[in-house]
Amino acid sequence: MTPDTGRLDPGTSEPNSGWLARTPLWARIAVPVVVIAGGAAVLAAVVAAGAQPPATVESMCRSTIVATLESRGHSEIEVSRSLKITEADGAQRVSGTVTSVDDSGRADHAQIRCVVRVDGDTMHVVSARLSD
């Protein structure tokens, strides 16, 4: 630029004539943020997938009760968060309550009782009962 006219000399170019200068400011900020956030999300998903909690007596009972009620056409199944666990004949007895909606739309409340046997590293549900 010449000081007297404020215009560029024909032989010189703009000082910021690279591709970065032609990129809008919002793109210069947004693209790195999206890339970093996407990478963090992928990393978190990989860590979460590998760190699943081990099965517990409660989770085995919950999944069995949910599967039983779903097979009967129930929906909106809510097993109580506080289940009682007792020892019975070398197995774990889990008891609590469950609420669900049957296929006619009526709310259904029931008591649950599961018996889970633990043999070394394996667990299996021996019985799962619902009573009104």
Side-chain angles (χ1 to χ4, degrees):
M1 277 172 85
T2 59
D4 53 342
T5 62
R7 296 185 187 157
L8 289 176
D9 289 336
T12 64
S13 62
E14 277 188 40
N16 292 332
S17 63
W19 65 270
L20 187 59
R22 293 188 305 265
T23 306
L25 179 62
W26 66 267
R28 286 187 250 165
I29 295 170
V31 170
V33 169
V34 169
V35 169
I36 290 171
V42 167
L43 182 63
V46 168
V47 169
Q52 293 179 350
T56 63
V57 174
E58 289 177 330
S59 67
M60 294 287 291
C61 182
R62 283 178 200 276
S63 62
T64 302
I65 292 297
V66 168
T68 301
L69 288 171
E70 285 176 343
S71 71
R72 296 179 184 174
H74 288 242
S75 61
E76 300 180 33
I77 301 165
E78 302 232 358
V79 179
S80 63
R81 296 202 185 274
S82 59
L83 297 174
K84 183 179 176 185
I85 302 173
T86 57
E87 184 76 27
D89 299 327
Q92 301 288 321
R93 182 178 293 157
V94 181
S95 56
T97 59
V98 64
T99 305
S100 63
V101 176
D102 63 13
D103 52 0
S104 67
R106 192 178 66 223
D108 186 30
H109 304 280
Q111 296 290 321
I112 60 172
R113 190 171 80 184
C114 298
V115 177
V116 180
R117 289 217 183 270
V118 179
D119 297 322
D121 290 341
T122 62
M123 285 188 267
H124 62 280
V125 178
V126 177
S127 69
R129 298 181 185 179
L130 296 160
S131 61
D132 293 331

